Amino acid sequence: MQIFRLLVIAAAIFLTGCAATGPRYAEVEASFPTLRSGYGRLIIYRSGGLGAAVQPDIKLNGEIIGKSQPNGFFFVDRAAGKYTVSARTEVETVLDTELVEGRTTYVQSSITIGLFVGHPRLTLQSENAAVQHLPRLAYTGGIPVAPRTPRAKAVNNTAAVSADERNRPSGPVTLDDLSGLLPPAR
């Protein structure tokens, strides 16, 4: 009986360490970048459940865009069009979806029972279904977002735009563009 208790405690500690950490969706949603013209957003989330230690990479058209972490979410913005979302453990799961300009597509990731390791499962979700889970999930993505920072609004008055912003070339975002969003080095 004593060994059983120790195993349960060890398993609980191990599984607790597997859950995503970071700011919650409710804290960072306001700081998501505004979608560019011609782009859609893909939010992938996993609200816990079976197989917490199994965290497969999530790919979009073969490119790794994040990990399926329990109680976590991330997002990517891509040009509107058709895409394939996939995840692999001992089997590969594939979901075809379409990103629509100016809209957000939600995909829920989960793990089901497998022979040796859990199998990934990807399901398309409505916004109504996704918003039931997202507020308590931790942000695990690579795009820097700041808790409780208001979303940047489009400015129609060019006098209110700084000289740096007016002179900044348009195009893809670089690491230099994002450096101001990162916390100072410790």
Side-chain angles (χ1 to χ4, degrees):
M1 189 65 163
Q2 190 76 349
I3 293 174
F4 179 73
R5 284 185 194 164
L6 289 174
L7 288 174
V8 169
I9 291 170
I13 291 170
F14 174 72
L15 292 177
T16 306
C18 295
T21 59
R24 301 289 172 220
Y25 179 88
E27 298 172 319
V28 297
E29 189 273 334
S31 67
F32 287 178
T34 304
L35 276 169
R36 296 188 317 190
S37 177
Y39 278 65
R41 177 164 290 151
L42 176 65
I43 293 181
I44 299 182
Y45 67 96
R46 181 170 164 195
S47 55
L50 182 67
V54 180
Q55 300 180 14
D57 289 333
I58 302 290
K59 295 181 179 181
L60 188 63
N61 288 356
E63 172 195 356
I64 296 173
I65 57 171
K67 274 196 173 310
S68 174
Q69 293 182 319
N71 299 315
F73 81 97
F74 62 92
F75 69 93
V76 293
D77 296 343
R78 294 291 189 270
K82 295 183 185 243
Y83 290 89
T84 299
V85 182
S86 63
R88 180 184 221 27
T89 57
E90 64 185 8
V91 298
E92 183 173 31
T93 300
V94 174
L95 173 71
D96 292 322
T97 190
E98 184 170 358
L99 295 183
V100 178
E101 179 179 358
R103 309 264 328 251
T104 300
T105 300
Y106 300 89
V107 172
Q108 183 175 25
S109 172
S110 59
I111 301 296
T112 62
I113 295 174
L115 184 58
F116 296 108
V117 67
H119 294 177
R121 182 172 180 223
L122 302 169
T123 53
L124 201 55
Q125 297 292 326
S126 69
E127 181 176 9
N128 289 337
V131 297
Q132 300 298 314
H133 298 279
L134 285 169
R136 66 181 181 273
L137 301 181
Y139 179 67
T140 63
I143 300 171
V145 291
R148 302 184 203 274
T149 301
R151 179 180 295 186
K153 301 287 184 198
V155 178
N156 293 332
N157 181 356
T158 55
V161 178
S162 72
D164 287 342
E165 289 174 303
R166 280 193 303 269
N167 296 329
R168 184 178 167 264
S170 62
V173 176
T174 66
L175 288 176
D176 291 336
D177 297 327
L178 300 175
S179 65
L181 299 173
L182 298 173
R186 296 178 193 218

